[in-house]
Amino acid sequence: MVSWKNLDTLDAYKELLKKEDSVKLSEVLSGESGAKRVADYCVPMAAGLCYNYAAKKVNDAVLEKLAALAKEAQLTEKFRELYNGAVINTGEKRLVLHQLTRGQLGDDVIADGVNKRDFFTGEQKKIAEFAKKVHSGEITNEKGEKFTTVVQIGIGGSDLGPRAIYLALENWAAAHNTLKMQARFISNVDPDDAVGVLRGVDVAHALFIVVSKSGTTLETLTNESFVKDALEKAGLDVSKHMLAVTSETSPMAKNSGYLAAFFMDDYIGGRYSTSSAVGGAVLSLAFGPDIFARFLDGMAAEDKLAKEEDPLKNPAMLDALIGVYERNILGYPLTALLPYSQALSRFPAHLQQADMESNGKSVNRFGEPMNYKTGPVLFGEPGTNGQHSFYQLLHQGTDVIPLQFIGFKESQNEKDVEVKGSTSQTKLNANLAAQIVAFACGKEDENPNKWFDGERPSSVIVGEQLAPESCGALLSHYENKIMFQGFLWNVNSFDQEGVQLGKVLANRVLAHDTDGALKSFSELLGV
Ligand code: F6P
């Protein structure tokens, strides 16, 4: 029987709060034992990735206590409840089924009279058939010409994940001759976004996918109109260029003006929807359905690891436990996500939503306030660019900010250049190795301005190459990490009431139903 308890009621947490185990990174990473630690503190992930936590402030004693915490918090049992179809999203009274879009982890899940795995794979099949027809030229524009570009119109979860993954695999697909269509994305209600994207798109040869689970999002519906207007002005038949991805119950599902419509459902949170039709349509059109299937395989393989009870065999659970240790025991308020891979340039932005919209909560899953901190602020940029930007604060600022690095041994393209005895890829990874040690071990100096305290913890996920499977495994890792952290904090990670108030007030401004500060700020902004 699963029981949902606040973190601070758990004995294992109270043990950790005694702070009996302090780890000095400059000591544990030095000499032979340091080298052994780097080799040992590493958990294999799917698709050849591994999660290395040698530069985290944990030792075997801390890890034992974290394992006890995982057990007492029933992380494995809670995950089992989730994938077997329990109503884990209590706030919205919904099942949480995103893992089911890429594999079957447990029992058949029957909801609303249908087998949900069959529903998700059925939509994937429909998308695959449609994409193949577009690629083969069976579905064309009115002149019988092939579509060359796909433009996704959506925001939040209907934009960030698919966009991040498209960018993650665009160069890989080009190198493997499987970049079938270029993809572009319009999200912001700022008209300059749509104008900017449309300027670079030949609309006569473009398919537009309107993606909105609810079918009511102001930004997306506005941008849909914007694009329809552009199509009409170009003398094109709108219905031949527009697709929809939505839930079957949304107003968009009732609109017959789309060339095709693909569905997800209310059991897939927007920020977890990349593996559903939300990511499936654009990624299958851009790369081909086989590549999207390989991405899903990577996710499914990583999901399986999340079932492991032992955190040392379950990288997402271990990452979650160490994150909670850093947030609640060591008191660090932020986390930086730093991929040493240009292809992952939008991955931090996606995980910002996934993590902060999930675990940025002040009440537990029963609506009661808690006496401990929940989700940290997450931010990030690819290395080495970040090094020439905010790393100064990371190295010498007054806050210790735990770091999550990601790196790959190979680049996605064979093209590289050797300058001063090393390739660009080697330089990239040399920088990553250097940063891990610089942050952990620091440097003493007579000049205080040049002094580095060190003791700034980091983990690194390492892979051979960012390819469809490893990309899927990476995304699943973070989705599951966030889920386990939500379980530990006893929050509902699957609703997002905190975004509602602003929407309500914006609608009042648009209806000119304002007074006081709302009226003054509206006037200040020329509304
Ligand atoms: O405003 C928050 C939010 O509801 C996100 O959770 C979601 O990803 C986004 O808006 C877009 O929602 P939809 O897919 O329904 O348009």
Side-chain angles (χ1 to χ4, degrees):
M1 186 64 190
V2 161
S3 66
W4 300 90
K5 292 185 180 160
N6 280 359
L7 180 64
D8 58 356
T9 65
L10 304 180
D11 291 338
Y13 180 70
K14 290 176 197 158
E15 268 308 302
L16 284 161
L17 273 179
K18 290 181 190 162
K19 296 193 187 188
E20 282 165 349
D21 318 281
S22 74
V23 174
K24 205 155 183 274
L25 290 173
S26 54
E27 279 171 21
V28 294
L29 286 174
S30 74
E32 279 300 300
S33 58
K36 188 171 173 331
R37 180 178 162 105
V38 175
D40 289 349
Y41 274 31
C42 200
V43 184
M45 297 169 61
L49 300 174
C50 68
Y51 170 69
N52 190 302
Y53 56 102
K56 284 288 187 190
K57 285 187 153 273
V58 294
N59 56 17
D60 291 351
V62 175
L63 291 169
E64 233 171 76
K65 288 175 190 170
L66 290 176
L69 180 66
K71 207 165 184 190
E72 196 181 352
Q74 298 181 296
L75 297 187
T76 304
E77 291 87 335
K78 286 173 183 165
F79 184 33
R80 192 181 306 131
E81 291 259 301
L82 181 148
Y83 62 69
N84 281 337
V87 180
I88 296 294
N89 178 356
T90 41
E92 296 175 320
K93 300 193 177 43
R94 287 176 181 168
L95 284 59
V96 175
L97 298 184
H98 51 274
Q99 282 97 354
L100 204 57
T101 59
R102 56 245 192 179
Q104 180 92 43
L105 289 169
D107 302 340
D108 279 350
V109 179
I110 312 292
D112 310 327
V114 294
N115 177 310
K116 283 290 162 182
R117 174 80 184 138
D118 290 349
F119 168 67
F120 296 133
T121 52
E123 290 307 301
Q124 275 159 24
K125 226 181 252 167
K126 272 170 46 187
I127 290 169
E129 279 159 17
F130 181 87
K132 281 183 188 157
K133 284 183 187 165
V134 172
H135 299 151
S136 68
E138 201 177 319
I139 295 176
T140 62
N141 71 4
E142 294 136 281
K143 289 192 179 159
E145 297 159 340
K146 277 193 175 186
F147 290 110
T148 56
T149 306
V150 50
V151 183
Q152 175 133 334
I153 305 167
I155 197 163
S158 295
D159 165 66
L160 289 161
R163 189 197 291 249
I165 301 304
Y166 172 75
L167 292 174
L169 294 177
E170 187 184 27
N171 265 334
W172 180 92
H176 290 80
N177 216 9
T178 185
L179 186 57
K180 314 255 182 210
M181 297 170 81
Q182 61 163 359
R184 296 290 176 264
F185 297 83
I186 301 174
S187 55
N188 201 331
V189 77
D190 179 345
D192 292 341
D193 188 9
V195 169
V197 172
L198 290 176
R199 193 185 319 114
V201 167
D202 166 14
V203 288
H205 297 93
L207 276 172
F208 295 87
I209 320 179
V210 186
V211 185
S212 176
K213 174 168 125 175
S214 62
T216 59
T217 303
L218 170 91
E219 290 88 339
T220 303
L221 298 183
T222 306
N223 281 324
E224 178 180 10
S225 297
F226 208 104
V227 166
K228 278 184 176 165
D229 191 52
L231 287 167
E232 277 161 9
K233 284 194 177 125
L236 298 162
D237 178 350
V238 170
S239 68
K240 296 263 169 21
H241 289 261
M242 286 250 172
L243 314 175
V245 175
T246 188
S247 64
E248 287 176 306
T249 49
S250 95
M252 271 170 64
K254 295 177 192 75
N255 182 342
S256 57
Y258 298 108
L259 179 61
F262 306 109
F263 298 100
M264 35 116 60
D265 64 23
D266 281 344
Y267 307 138
I268 311 290
R271 53 195 175 273
Y272 299 100
S273 64
T274 309
S275 52
S276 75
V278 167
V282 65
L283 297 172
S284 300
L285 283 162
F287 305 136
D290 297 347
I291 304 301
F292 183 63
R294 285 175 56 182
F295 167 76
L296 293 184
D297 288 347
M299 292 198 89
E302 193 63 36
D303 285 343
K304 263 192 205 155
L305 290 179
K307 290 171 75 176
E308 279 286 345
E309 211 157 336
D310 177 356
L312 296 182
K313 294 183 182 147
N314 182 335
M317 186 188 284
L318 183 60
D319 198 355
L321 287 161
I322 294 175
V324 167
Y325 182 69
E326 289 174 333
R327 181 79 174 113
N328 300 96
I329 308 296
L330 303 178
Y332 303 146
L334 298 103
T335 297
L337 188 87
L338 307 165
Y340 275 63
S341 159
Q342 189 58 28
L344 292 176
S345 61
R346 288 299 284 172
F347 202 57
H350 172 50
L351 289 188
Q352 252 174 356
Q353 185 201 13
D355 200 317
M356 292 161 77
E357 198 169 64
S358 296
N359 289 336
K361 311 278 164 72
S362 296
V363 293
N364 69 11
R365 53 189 296 111
F366 307 110
E368 301 153 351
M370 295 100 70
N371 292 321
Y372 49 84
K373 302 282 185 194
T374 61
V377 172
L378 195 91
F379 71 100
E381 273 290 317
T384 59
N385 298 32
Q387 289 176 209
H388 297 272
S389 165
F390 52 81
Y391 275 38
Q392 164 63 41
L393 184 148
L394 299 185
H395 279 290
Q396 290 186 315
T398 46
D399 277 306
V400 171
I401 299 175
L403 314 166
Q404 301 233 298
F405 291 112
I406 301 170
F408 298 94
K409 291 179 191 164
E410 288 172 26
S411 59
Q412 292 181 313
N413 284 279
E414 279 176 9
K415 272 187 215 147
D416 202 341
V417 53
E418 199 169 307
V419 176
K420 292 189 181 161
S422 59
T423 62
S424 300
Q425 181 66 22
T426 311
K427 289 185 179 74
L428 177 69
N429 286 348
N431 271 279
L432 174 46
Q435 290 296 334
I436 294 171
V437 174
F439 279 117
C441 302
K443 178 181 91 77
E444 295 180 1
D445 202 290
E446 279 171 16
N447 178 347
N449 207 31
K450 295 179 190 283
W451 176 286
F452 290 75
D453 280 338
E455 300 307 315
R456 298 182 180 227
S458 67
S459 63
V460 58
I461 291 179
V462 182
E464 287 300 319
Q465 189 190 48
L466 183 61
E469 292 83 356
S470 50
C471 187
L474 200 59
L475 180 58
S476 153
H477 172 84
Y478 286 103
E479 288 187 359
N480 292 328
K481 173 194 170 180
I482 294 164
M483 170 191 74
F484 285 129
Q485 292 197 324
F487 291 161
L488 287 161
W489 285 316
N490 201 26
V491 297
N492 175 10
S493 303
F494 303 103
D495 66 1
Q496 56 286 319
E497 290 303 326
V499 303
Q500 293 307 333
L501 177 59
K503 289 186 194 174
V504 170
L505 293 184
N507 281 331
R508 273 186 51 196
V509 174
L510 291 172
H512 300 293
D513 169 22
T514 55
D515 52 16
L518 190 58
K519 191 170 184 341
S520 308
F521 277 114
S522 306
E523 284 166 4
L524 182 67
L525 286 158
V527 184

PDB file of all heavy atoms in Angstrom, residues 154-159 211-217 220 264 269-271 273 278 353 357 496 499-500 503, ligand 1:
ATOM      1  N   GLY A 154       2.697  26.327 -31.495  1.00  0.00           N
ATOM      2  CA  GLY A 154       2.295  25.858 -30.165  1.00  0.00           C
ATOM      3  C   GLY A 154       3.137  26.575 -29.139  1.00  0.00           C
ATOM      4  O   GLY A 154       4.093  27.274 -29.485  1.00  0.00           O
ATOM      5  N   ILE A 155       2.813  26.417 -27.875  1.00  0.00           N
ATOM      6  CA  ILE A 155       3.597  27.099 -26.830  1.00  0.00           C
ATOM      7  C   ILE A 155       3.729  26.175 -25.622  1.00  0.00           C
ATOM      8  O   ILE A 155       2.949  25.225 -25.469  1.00  0.00           O
ATOM      9  CB  ILE A 155       2.955  28.465 -26.463  1.00  0.00           C
ATOM     10  CG1 ILE A 155       3.945  29.366 -25.707  1.00  0.00           C
ATOM     11  CG2 ILE A 155       1.653  28.293 -25.676  1.00  0.00           C
ATOM     12  CD1 ILE A 155       3.547  30.847 -25.661  1.00  0.00           C
ATOM     13  N   GLY A 156       4.704  26.468 -24.762  1.00  0.00           N
ATOM     14  CA  GLY A 156       4.939  25.636 -23.571  1.00  0.00           C
ATOM     15  C   GLY A 156       5.284  24.222 -24.002  1.00  0.00           C
ATOM     16  O   GLY A 156       6.111  24.007 -24.888  1.00  0.00           O
ATOM     17  N   GLY A 157       4.598  23.256 -23.427  1.00  0.00           N
ATOM     18  CA  GLY A 157       4.864  21.864 -23.757  1.00  0.00           C
ATOM     19  C   GLY A 157       4.581  21.537 -25.215  1.00  0.00           C
ATOM     20  O   GLY A 157       5.114  20.564 -25.757  1.00  0.00           O
ATOM     21  N   SER A 158       3.765  22.341 -25.861  1.00  0.00           N
ATOM     22  CA  SER A 158       3.457  22.094 -27.270  1.00  0.00           C
ATOM     23  C   SER A 158       4.489  22.737 -28.190  1.00  0.00           C
ATOM     24  O   SER A 158       4.300  22.799 -29.405  1.00  0.00           O
ATOM     25  CB  SER A 158       2.051  22.622 -27.588  1.00  0.00           C
ATOM     26  OG  SER A 158       1.105  21.876 -26.856  1.00  0.00           O
ATOM     27  N   ASP A 159       5.559  23.225 -27.589  1.00  0.00           N
ATOM     28  CA  ASP A 159       6.630  23.844 -28.372  1.00  0.00           C
ATOM     29  C   ASP A 159       8.011  23.392 -27.896  1.00  0.00           C
ATOM     30  O   ASP A 159       8.828  22.911 -28.686  1.00  0.00           O
ATOM     31  CB  ASP A 159       6.544  25.374 -28.235  1.00  0.00           C
ATOM     32  CG  ASP A 159       7.795  26.085 -28.708  1.00  0.00           C
ATOM     33  OD1 ASP A 159       8.082  26.032 -29.906  1.00  0.00           O
ATOM     34  OD2 ASP A 159       8.504  26.677 -27.870  1.00  0.00           O
ATOM     35  N   VAL A 211      -0.569  22.934 -32.638  1.00  0.00           N
ATOM     36  CA  VAL A 211      -0.481  21.962 -31.540  1.00  0.00           C
ATOM     37  C   VAL A 211      -0.971  22.592 -30.250  1.00  0.00           C
ATOM     38  O   VAL A 211      -0.386  23.567 -29.753  1.00  0.00           O
ATOM     39  CB  VAL A 211       0.977  21.468 -31.356  1.00  0.00           C
ATOM     40  CG1 VAL A 211       1.021  20.371 -30.295  1.00  0.00           C
ATOM     41  CG2 VAL A 211       1.535  20.947 -32.666  1.00  0.00           C
ATOM     42  N   SER A 212      -2.050  22.078 -29.737  1.00  0.00           N
ATOM     43  CA  SER A 212      -2.559  22.552 -28.452  1.00  0.00           C
ATOM     44  C   SER A 212      -3.418  21.457 -27.839  1.00  0.00           C
ATOM     45  O   SER A 212      -4.427  21.062 -28.419  1.00  0.00           O
ATOM     46  CB  SER A 212      -3.385  23.827 -28.640  1.00  0.00           C
ATOM     47  OG  SER A 212      -3.941  24.224 -27.407  1.00  0.00           O
ATOM     48  N   LYS A 213      -2.983  20.978 -26.685  1.00  0.00           N
ATOM     49  CA  LYS A 213      -3.763  19.925 -26.026  1.00  0.00           C
ATOM     50  C   LYS A 213      -5.162  20.426 -25.682  1.00  0.00           C
ATOM     51  O   LYS A 213      -6.150  19.762 -25.952  1.00  0.00           O
ATOM     52  CB  LYS A 213      -3.018  19.494 -24.761  1.00  0.00           C
ATOM     53  CG  LYS A 213      -3.771  18.518 -23.900  1.00  0.00           C
ATOM     54  CD  LYS A 213      -2.856  17.951 -22.850  1.00  0.00           C
ATOM     55  CE  LYS A 213      -3.418  18.163 -21.468  1.00  0.00           C
ATOM     56  NZ  LYS A 213      -2.606  17.517 -20.436  1.00  0.00           N
ATOM     57  N   SER A 214      -5.207  21.623 -25.116  1.00  0.00           N
ATOM     58  CA  SER A 214      -6.504  22.167 -24.690  1.00  0.00           C
ATOM     59  C   SER A 214      -7.292  22.734 -25.871  1.00  0.00           C
ATOM     60  O   SER A 214      -8.519  22.799 -25.836  1.00  0.00           O
ATOM     61  CB  SER A 214      -6.286  23.282 -23.663  1.00  0.00           C
ATOM     62  OG  SER A 214      -5.549  24.333 -24.271  1.00  0.00           O
ATOM     63  N   GLY A 215      -6.594  23.163 -26.901  1.00  0.00           N
ATOM     64  CA  GLY A 215      -7.255  23.807 -28.040  1.00  0.00           C
ATOM     65  C   GLY A 215      -7.796  25.182 -27.693  1.00  0.00           C
ATOM     66  O   GLY A 215      -8.599  25.751 -28.448  1.00  0.00           O
ATOM     67  N   THR A 216      -7.342  25.747 -26.578  1.00  0.00           N
ATOM     68  CA  THR A 216      -7.873  27.055 -26.157  1.00  0.00           C
ATOM     69  C   THR A 216      -6.771  28.074 -25.874  1.00  0.00           C
ATOM     70  O   THR A 216      -7.060  29.179 -25.432  1.00  0.00           O
ATOM     71  CB  THR A 216      -8.702  26.911 -24.858  1.00  0.00           C
ATOM     72  OG1 THR A 216      -7.854  26.362 -23.851  1.00  0.00           O
ATOM     73  CG2 THR A 216      -9.917  26.025 -25.036  1.00  0.00           C
ATOM     74  N   THR A 217      -5.522  27.717 -26.099  1.00  0.00           N
ATOM     75  CA  THR A 217      -4.424  28.599 -25.683  1.00  0.00           C
ATOM     76  C   THR A 217      -4.351  29.845 -26.569  1.00  0.00           C
ATOM     77  O   THR A 217      -4.226  29.759 -27.791  1.00  0.00           O
ATOM     78  CB  THR A 217      -3.087  27.816 -25.688  1.00  0.00           C
ATOM     79  OG1 THR A 217      -3.247  26.697 -24.821  1.00  0.00           O
ATOM     80  CG2 THR A 217      -1.926  28.657 -25.230  1.00  0.00           C
ATOM     81  N   THR A 220      -1.480  30.314 -29.153  1.00  0.00           N
ATOM     82  CA  THR A 220      -1.499  29.378 -30.279  1.00  0.00           C
ATOM     83  C   THR A 220      -2.631  29.701 -31.244  1.00  0.00           C
ATOM     84  O   THR A 220      -2.446  29.693 -32.468  1.00  0.00           O
ATOM     85  CB  THR A 220      -1.604  27.942 -29.726  1.00  0.00           C
ATOM     86  OG1 THR A 220      -0.497  27.742 -28.855  1.00  0.00           O
ATOM     87  CG2 THR A 220      -1.601  26.905 -30.835  1.00  0.00           C
ATOM     88  N   MET A 264      -3.599  13.342 -28.810  1.00  0.00           N
ATOM     89  CA  MET A 264      -3.064  12.874 -27.523  1.00  0.00           C
ATOM     90  C   MET A 264      -4.268  12.906 -26.586  1.00  0.00           C
ATOM     91  O   MET A 264      -5.404  12.949 -27.068  1.00  0.00           O
ATOM     92  CB  MET A 264      -1.920  13.761 -27.038  1.00  0.00           C
ATOM     93  CG  MET A 264      -2.101  15.190 -27.378  1.00  0.00           C
ATOM     94  SD  MET A 264      -2.287  16.398 -26.136  1.00  0.00           S
ATOM     95  CE  MET A 264      -0.826  16.319 -25.179  1.00  0.00           C
ATOM     96  N   GLY A 269       0.669  15.188 -19.751  1.00  0.00           N
ATOM     97  CA  GLY A 269       0.916  16.596 -19.423  1.00  0.00           C
ATOM     98  C   GLY A 269       1.635  17.270 -20.577  1.00  0.00           C
ATOM     99  O   GLY A 269       2.477  16.649 -21.229  1.00  0.00           O
ATOM    100  N   GLY A 270       1.334  18.544 -20.825  1.00  0.00           N
ATOM    101  CA  GLY A 270       1.958  19.253 -21.951  1.00  0.00           C
ATOM    102  C   GLY A 270       3.467  19.114 -21.945  1.00  0.00           C
ATOM    103  O   GLY A 270       4.092  18.806 -22.964  1.00  0.00           O
ATOM    104  N   ARG A 271       4.074  19.314 -20.768  1.00  0.00           N
ATOM    105  CA  ARG A 271       5.545  19.293 -20.685  1.00  0.00           C
ATOM    106  C   ARG A 271       6.116  17.885 -20.811  1.00  0.00           C
ATOM    107  O   ARG A 271       7.329  17.710 -20.870  1.00  0.00           O
ATOM    108  CB  ARG A 271       5.999  19.975 -19.386  1.00  0.00           C
ATOM    109  CG  ARG A 271       5.346  19.424 -18.124  1.00  0.00           C
ATOM    110  CD  ARG A 271       5.545  20.361 -16.948  1.00  0.00           C
ATOM    111  NE  ARG A 271       4.841  19.944 -15.749  1.00  0.00           N
ATOM    112  CZ  ARG A 271       3.580  20.260 -15.450  1.00  0.00           C
ATOM    113  NH1 ARG A 271       2.866  20.971 -16.307  1.00  0.00           N
ATOM    114  NH2 ARG A 271       3.035  19.882 -14.316  1.00  0.00           N
ATOM    115  N   SER A 273       4.852  15.821 -23.228  1.00  0.00           N
ATOM    116  CA  SER A 273       4.150  15.341 -24.417  1.00  0.00           C
ATOM    117  C   SER A 273       5.048  15.135 -25.638  1.00  0.00           C
ATOM    118  O   SER A 273       4.555  14.803 -26.711  1.00  0.00           O
ATOM    119  CB  SER A 273       3.014  16.318 -24.776  1.00  0.00           C
ATOM    120  OG  SER A 273       3.542  17.575 -25.137  1.00  0.00           O
ATOM    121  N   VAL A 278       2.292  15.139 -30.059  1.00  0.00           N
ATOM    122  CA  VAL A 278       2.783  16.527 -30.001  1.00  0.00           C
ATOM    123  C   VAL A 278       4.196  16.634 -30.584  1.00  0.00           C
ATOM    124  O   VAL A 278       4.494  17.532 -31.372  1.00  0.00           O
ATOM    125  CB  VAL A 278       2.731  17.039 -28.535  1.00  0.00           C
ATOM    126  CG1 VAL A 278       3.515  18.324 -28.357  1.00  0.00           C
ATOM    127  CG2 VAL A 278       1.279  17.217 -28.109  1.00  0.00           C
ATOM    128  N   GLN A 353      10.803  24.239 -18.201  1.00  0.00           N
ATOM    129  CA  GLN A 353       9.360  24.043 -18.051  1.00  0.00           C
ATOM    130  C   GLN A 353       9.075  22.712 -17.362  1.00  0.00           C
ATOM    131  O   GLN A 353       8.302  22.639 -16.409  1.00  0.00           O
ATOM    132  CB  GLN A 353       8.611  24.067 -19.391  1.00  0.00           C
ATOM    133  CG  GLN A 353       7.098  23.984 -19.160  1.00  0.00           C
ATOM    134  CD  GLN A 353       6.274  23.504 -20.341  1.00  0.00           C
ATOM    135  OE1 GLN A 353       6.792  22.981 -21.314  1.00  0.00           O
ATOM    136  NE2 GLN A 353       4.975  23.684 -20.258  1.00  0.00           N
ATOM    137  N   GLU A 357       7.684  23.822 -13.857  1.00  0.00           N
ATOM    138  CA  GLU A 357       6.217  23.784 -13.874  1.00  0.00           C
ATOM    139  C   GLU A 357       5.723  22.560 -13.094  1.00  0.00           C
ATOM    140  O   GLU A 357       4.610  22.545 -12.592  1.00  0.00           O
ATOM    141  CB  GLU A 357       5.697  23.738 -15.325  1.00  0.00           C
ATOM    142  CG  GLU A 357       4.229  24.125 -15.442  1.00  0.00           C
ATOM    143  CD  GLU A 357       3.766  24.348 -16.882  1.00  0.00           C
ATOM    144  OE1 GLU A 357       3.774  23.378 -17.667  1.00  0.00           O
ATOM    145  OE2 GLU A 357       3.383  25.474 -17.238  1.00  0.00           O
ATOM    146  N   GLN A 496      -0.502  22.522 -12.921  1.00  0.00           N
ATOM    147  CA  GLN A 496       0.236  23.788 -13.065  1.00  0.00           C
ATOM    148  C   GLN A 496      -0.687  24.963 -12.796  1.00  0.00           C
ATOM    149  O   GLN A 496      -0.818  25.857 -13.620  1.00  0.00           O
ATOM    150  CB  GLN A 496       0.899  23.894 -14.451  1.00  0.00           C
ATOM    151  CG  GLN A 496      -0.013  23.762 -15.672  1.00  0.00           C
ATOM    152  CD  GLN A 496      -0.474  22.362 -15.925  1.00  0.00           C
ATOM    153  OE1 GLN A 496       0.305  21.419 -15.797  1.00  0.00           O
ATOM    154  NE2 GLN A 496      -1.745  22.171 -16.258  1.00  0.00           N
ATOM    155  N   VAL A 499       0.116  28.897 -13.287  1.00  0.00           N
ATOM    156  CA  VAL A 499       0.141  29.685 -14.531  1.00  0.00           C
ATOM    157  C   VAL A 499      -1.215  30.333 -14.805  1.00  0.00           C
ATOM    158  O   VAL A 499      -1.347  31.107 -15.763  1.00  0.00           O
ATOM    159  CB  VAL A 499       0.563  28.830 -15.754  1.00  0.00           C
ATOM    160  CG1 VAL A 499       1.925  28.202 -15.530  1.00  0.00           C
ATOM    161  CG2 VAL A 499      -0.477  27.755 -16.069  1.00  0.00           C
ATOM    162  N   GLN A 500      -2.218  30.037 -13.970  1.00  0.00           N
ATOM    163  CA  GLN A 500      -3.585  30.465 -14.306  1.00  0.00           C
ATOM    164  C   GLN A 500      -3.863  31.944 -14.023  1.00  0.00           C
ATOM    165  O   GLN A 500      -4.506  32.622 -14.817  1.00  0.00           O
ATOM    166  CB  GLN A 500      -4.624  29.612 -13.556  1.00  0.00           C
ATOM    167  CG  GLN A 500      -4.670  28.157 -14.001  1.00  0.00           C
ATOM    168  CD  GLN A 500      -4.840  27.995 -15.503  1.00  0.00           C
ATOM    169  OE1 GLN A 500      -5.399  28.856 -16.180  1.00  0.00           O
ATOM    170  NE2 GLN A 500      -4.321  26.906 -16.046  1.00  0.00           N
ATOM    171  N   LYS A 503      -3.069  34.401 -16.656  1.00  0.00           N
ATOM    172  CA  LYS A 503      -3.941  34.278 -17.841  1.00  0.00           C
ATOM    173  C   LYS A 503      -5.263  34.992 -17.593  1.00  0.00           C
ATOM    174  O   LYS A 503      -5.786  35.689 -18.466  1.00  0.00           O
ATOM    175  CB  LYS A 503      -4.232  32.792 -18.133  1.00  0.00           C
ATOM    176  CG  LYS A 503      -3.069  31.994 -18.676  1.00  0.00           C
ATOM    177  CD  LYS A 503      -3.532  30.587 -19.064  1.00  0.00           C
ATOM    178  CE  LYS A 503      -2.376  29.652 -19.282  1.00  0.00           C
ATOM    179  NZ  LYS A 503      -2.758  28.268 -19.527  1.00  0.00           N
TER     180      LYS A 503
HETATM  181  O1  F6P B   1       0.206  27.756 -19.557  1.00  0.00           O
HETATM  182  C1  F6P B   1       0.719  26.533 -19.250  1.00  0.00           C
HETATM  183  C2  F6P B   1       0.316  25.447 -20.204  1.00  0.00           C
HETATM  184  O2  F6P B   1      -0.901  24.932 -19.831  1.00  0.00           O
HETATM  185  C3  F6P B   1       1.383  24.395 -20.245  1.00  0.00           C
HETATM  186  O3  F6P B   1       1.313  23.502 -19.197  1.00  0.00           O
HETATM  187  C4  F6P B   1       1.175  23.810 -21.587  1.00  0.00           C
HETATM  188  O4  F6P B   1       2.282  23.071 -22.003  1.00  0.00           O
HETATM  189  C5  F6P B   1       0.945  25.064 -22.403  1.00  0.00           C
HETATM  190  O5  F6P B   1       0.201  25.899 -21.551  1.00  0.00           O
HETATM  191  C6  F6P B   1       0.254  24.878 -23.718  1.00  0.00           C
HETATM  192  O6  F6P B   1      -0.999  24.285 -23.565  1.00  0.00           O
HETATM  193  P1  F6P B   1      -1.813  23.702 -24.789  1.00  0.00           P
HETATM  194  O7  F6P B   1      -1.054  22.561 -25.350  1.00  0.00           O
HETATM  195  O8  F6P B   1      -3.127  23.285 -24.198  1.00  0.00           O
HETATM  196  O9  F6P B   1      -1.987  24.799 -25.804  1.00  0.00           O
END
